[in-house]
Coordinates of all heavy atoms in Angstrom, one line a residue:
L1 N 0.9 -1.2 0.0 CA 0.0 0.0 0.0 C 0.9 1.3 0.0 O 2.0 1.2 0.6 CB -0.9 0.0 1.2 CG -1.9 -1.1 1.5 CD1 -2.6 -1.0 2.7 CD2 -2.7 -1.4 0.3
S2 N 0.4 2.2 -0.7 CA 1.2 3.5 -0.7 C 1.1 4.1 0.7 O 0.1 3.8 1.4 CB 0.6 4.5 -1.8 OG -0.7 5.0 -1.3
P3 N 2.0 5.0 1.0 CA 1.9 5.7 2.4 C 0.5 6.4 2.5 O -0.1 6.3 3.7 CB 3.0 6.7 2.3 CG 4.0 6.1 1.4 CD 3.2 5.3 0.4
R4 N 0.0 7.0 1.5 CA -1.3 7.7 1.6 C -2.5 6.7 1.8 O -3.4 6.9 2.6 CB -1.6 8.5 0.4 CG -2.5 9.6 0.5 CD -2.1 10.6 1.7 NE -2.3 11.9 1.4 CZ -2.2 12.9 2.2 NH1 -1.9 12.6 3.5 NH2 -2.5 14.1 1.9
E5 N -2.4 5.5 1.1 CA -3.4 4.5 1.3 C -3.3 3.9 2.8 O -4.4 3.7 3.4 CB -3.2 3.3 0.2 CG -3.5 3.7 -1.1 CD -2.9 2.7 -2.2 OE1 -2.1 1.9 -1.8 OE2 -3.4 2.8 -3.3
Q6 N -2.1 3.7 3.3 CA -2.0 3.2 4.6 C -2.6 4.3 5.6 O -3.3 3.9 6.6 CB -0.5 3.0 5.0 CG 0.0 1.8 4.4 CD 1.5 1.6 4.6 OE1 2.3 2.5 4.6 NE2 1.8 0.4 5.2
E7 N -2.3 5.5 5.4 CA -2.8 6.6 6.2 C -4.3 6.7 6.3 O -4.9 6.7 7.4 CB -2.2 7.9 5.7 CG -2.0 9.0 6.7 CD -1.3 10.2 6.1 OE1 -1.1 10.3 4.9 OE2 -0.9 11.1 6.9
C8 N -4.9 6.6 5.1 CA -6.4 6.6 5.0 C -7.0 5.4 5.8 O -7.9 5.5 6.6 CB -6.9 6.6 3.6 SG -6.6 8.2 2.7
L9 N -6.4 4.2 5.6 CA -6.9 3.0 6.2 C -6.7 3.0 7.7 O -7.5 2.6 8.5 CB -6.2 1.8 5.6 CG -6.8 0.4 5.8 CD1 -8.3 0.5 5.3 CD2 -6.0 -0.7 5.2
Q10 N -5.6 3.6 8.1 CA -5.3 3.8 9.6 C -6.4 4.6 10.2 O -6.8 4.3 11.3 CB -3.9 4.5 9.8 CG -3.4 4.4 11.2 CD -3.0 3.1 11.6 OE1 -2.1 2.4 11.1 NE2 -3.6 2.5 12.7
W11 N -6.8 5.7 9.5 CA -8.0 6.5 10.1 C -9.2 5.7 10.0 O -10.1 6.0 11.0 CB -8.0 7.9 9.3 CG -6.9 8.8 9.7 CD1 -5.9 9.2 9.0 CD2 -6.8 9.4 11.1 NE1 -5.1 10.1 9.7 CE2 -5.6 10.2 11.0 CE3 -7.5 9.4 12.2 CZ2 -5.1 10.9 12.0 CZ3 -7.0 10.1 13.3 CH2 -5.9 10.8 13.2
V12 N -9.5 4.9 9.0 CA -10.7 4.1 9.0 C -10.6 3.2 10.2 O -11.7 3.0 10.9 CB -10.8 3.3 7.7 CG1 -11.9 2.3 7.8 CG2 -11.0 4.1 6.5
C13 N -9.5 2.6 10.5 CA -9.3 1.8 11.7 C -9.7 2.5 13.0 O -10.2 1.9 13.9 CB -7.9 1.2 11.7 SG -7.6 0.0 13.0
R14 N -9.5 3.8 13.0 CA -9.9 4.5 14.2 C -11.3 5.1 14.1 O -11.7 6.0 14.9 CB -8.8 5.7 14.3 CG -7.5 5.3 14.6 CD -6.5 6.4 15.0 NE -5.3 5.8 15.4 CZ -4.2 5.9 14.8 NH1 -4.1 6.8 13.7 NH2 -3.0 5.4 15.3
G15 N -12.1 4.6 13.2 CA -13.5 4.9 13.2 C -13.9 6.2 12.4 O -15.0 6.7 12.5
K16 N -12.9 6.7 11.7 CA -13.2 8.0 10.9 C -13.9 7.8 9.6 O -13.6 6.8 8.9 CB -11.9 8.8 10.7 CG -11.2 9.2 12.0 CD -11.9 10.1 12.8 CE -11.2 10.6 14.0 NZ -12.0 11.3 14.9
S17 N -14.8 8.7 9.2 CA -15.5 8.6 7.9 C -14.6 9.2 6.9 O -13.6 9.9 7.1 CB -16.8 9.4 8.0 OG -16.5 10.8 8.2
S18 N -15.0 9.1 5.6 CA -14.2 9.7 4.5 C -14.2 11.2 4.7 O -13.2 11.8 4.4 CB -14.9 9.3 3.1 OG -14.7 8.0 2.9
A19 N -15.3 11.8 5.1 CA -15.4 13.3 5.3 C -14.4 13.6 6.4 O -13.6 14.6 6.3 CB -16.7 13.7 5.7
D20 N -14.4 12.9 7.5 CA -13.4 13.2 8.6 C -11.9 13.1 8.1 O -11.1 13.9 8.4 CB -13.6 12.2 9.8 CG -14.9 12.4 10.5 OD1 -15.4 13.5 10.5 OD2 -15.3 11.4 11.2
I21 N -11.7 12.0 7.5 CA -10.3 11.7 6.9 C -9.9 12.9 6.0 O -8.7 13.3 6.0 CB -10.2 10.3 6.3 CG1 -10.5 9.2 7.3 CG2 -8.8 10.1 5.7 CD1 -10.8 7.9 6.7
G22 N -10.8 13.3 5.1 CA -10.5 14.4 4.2 C -10.1 15.6 4.9 O -9.2 16.3 4.5
I23 N -10.9 15.9 6.0 CA -10.5 17.1 6.8 C -9.1 16.9 7.5 O -8.2 17.8 7.4 CB -11.5 17.4 7.9 CG1 -12.8 17.8 7.2 CG2 -11.0 18.4 8.9 CD1 -14.1 17.8 8.2
I24 N -8.8 15.7 8.0 CA -7.6 15.5 8.7 C -6.4 15.6 7.7 O -5.3 16.2 8.0 CB -7.6 14.1 9.3 CG1 -8.6 14.1 10.5 CG2 -6.2 13.7 9.8 CD1 -9.0 12.7 11.0
L25 N -6.6 15.0 6.5 CA -5.5 14.9 5.5 C -5.5 16.0 4.4 O -4.8 16.0 3.5 CB -5.5 13.5 4.9 CG -5.3 12.3 5.8 CD1 -5.4 11.0 5.0 CD2 -4.0 12.4 6.6
T26 N -6.5 16.9 4.6 CA -6.7 18.0 3.6 C -6.9 17.4 2.2 O -6.2 17.8 1.2 CB -5.7 19.1 3.6 OG1 -4.4 18.6 3.3 CG2 -5.7 19.8 4.9
L27 N -7.9 16.4 2.1 CA -8.3 15.8 0.8 C -9.7 16.0 0.7 O -10.4 16.1 1.7 CB -7.8 14.3 0.8 CG -6.4 14.0 0.9 CD1 -6.2 12.4 1.2 CD2 -5.6 14.4 -0.3
S28 N -10.2 15.8 -0.5 CA -11.7 15.7 -0.7 C -12.1 14.3 -0.2 O -11.4 13.3 -0.3 CB -12.1 16.0 -2.1 OG -11.9 14.8 -2.9
P29 N -13.4 14.2 0.3 CA -13.9 12.9 0.7 C -13.8 11.9 -0.6 O -13.5 10.7 -0.4 CB -15.3 13.1 1.1 CG -15.3 14.6 1.5 CD -14.3 15.3 0.6
R30 N -14.0 12.4 -1.7 CA -14.0 11.6 -3.0 C -12.5 11.0 -3.1 O -12.4 9.8 -3.5 CB -14.4 12.4 -4.2 CG -14.4 11.7 -5.4 CD -15.5 10.5 -5.5 NE -15.2 9.5 -6.5 CZ -14.8 8.3 -6.3 NH1 -14.5 7.9 -5.1 NH2 -14.6 7.5 -7.2
T31 N -11.5 11.8 -2.9 CA -10.2 11.4 -3.0 C -9.9 10.3 -1.9 O -9.3 9.3 -2.2 CB -9.2 12.5 -2.9 OG1 -9.5 13.5 -3.9 CG2 -7.7 12.1 -3.0
V32 N -10.4 10.5 -0.8 CA -10.2 9.4 0.3 C -10.9 8.2 -0.1 O -10.3 7.1 -0.1 CB -10.8 10.0 1.6 CG1 -10.8 8.8 2.7 CG2 -10.1 11.2 2.1
D33 N -12.1 8.3 -0.7 CA -12.8 7.1 -1.2 C -12.1 6.4 -2.3 O -12.0 5.1 -2.3 CB -14.2 7.4 -1.7 CG -15.2 7.8 -0.6 OD1 -14.9 7.4 0.5 OD2 -16.2 8.4 -0.9
S34 N -11.4 7.2 -3.1 CA -10.6 6.6 -4.2 C -9.4 5.8 -3.6 O -9.1 4.7 -4.1 CB -10.1 7.7 -5.1 OG -9.3 7.2 -6.1
Y35 N -8.7 6.4 -2.7 CA -7.6 5.6 -2.0 C -8.1 4.4 -1.4 O -7.5 3.3 -1.5 CB -7.0 6.5 -0.9 CG -6.0 7.6 -1.5 CD1 -6.2 8.9 -1.2 CD2 -4.9 7.2 -2.2 CE1 -5.2 9.8 -1.6 CE2 -4.0 8.1 -2.7 CZ -4.2 9.5 -2.3 OH -3.3 10.4 -2.8
L36 N -9.2 4.4 -0.7 CA -9.8 3.2 0.0 C -10.3 2.2 -1.0 O -10.2 1.0 -0.8 CB -10.9 3.6 0.9 CG -10.4 4.5 2.1 CD1 -11.6 5.0 2.9 CD2 -9.4 3.7 3.0
E37 N -10.8 2.6 -2.2 CA -11.2 1.7 -3.2 C -9.9 0.9 -3.8 O -10.0 -0.3 -4.0 CB -11.8 2.4 -4.4 CG -13.3 2.8 -4.1 CD -13.8 3.8 -5.1 OE1 -13.3 3.9 -6.2 OE2 -14.9 4.4 -4.7
K38 N -8.8 1.6 -3.9 CA -7.6 1.0 -4.4 C -7.1 0.0 -3.3 O -6.6 -1.0 -3.7 CB -6.4 2.1 -4.6 CG -6.8 2.9 -5.9 CD -5.6 3.9 -6.0 CE -6.0 4.9 -7.1 NZ -5.3 6.2 -7.0
V39 N -7.2 0.4 -2.0 CA -6.8 -0.5 -1.0 C -7.6 -1.8 -1.0 O -7.1 -2.9 -0.9 CB -7.0 0.1 0.4 CG1 -6.8 -0.9 1.5 CG2 -6.0 1.3 0.6
C40 N -9.0 -1.7 -1.2 CA -9.8 -2.8 -1.2 C -9.4 -3.8 -2.4 O -9.4 -4.9 -2.3 CB -11.3 -2.4 -1.3 SG -12.0 -1.8 0.3

């Protein structure tokens, strides 16, 4: 996994939504979803 994919997944592990992760990482929720789709 890329560092960004790991980072997004780590936040999912902590119960964060795509919107929350987007705020934390300054990404759009859609970009977060894209990273998580690649992870899956």
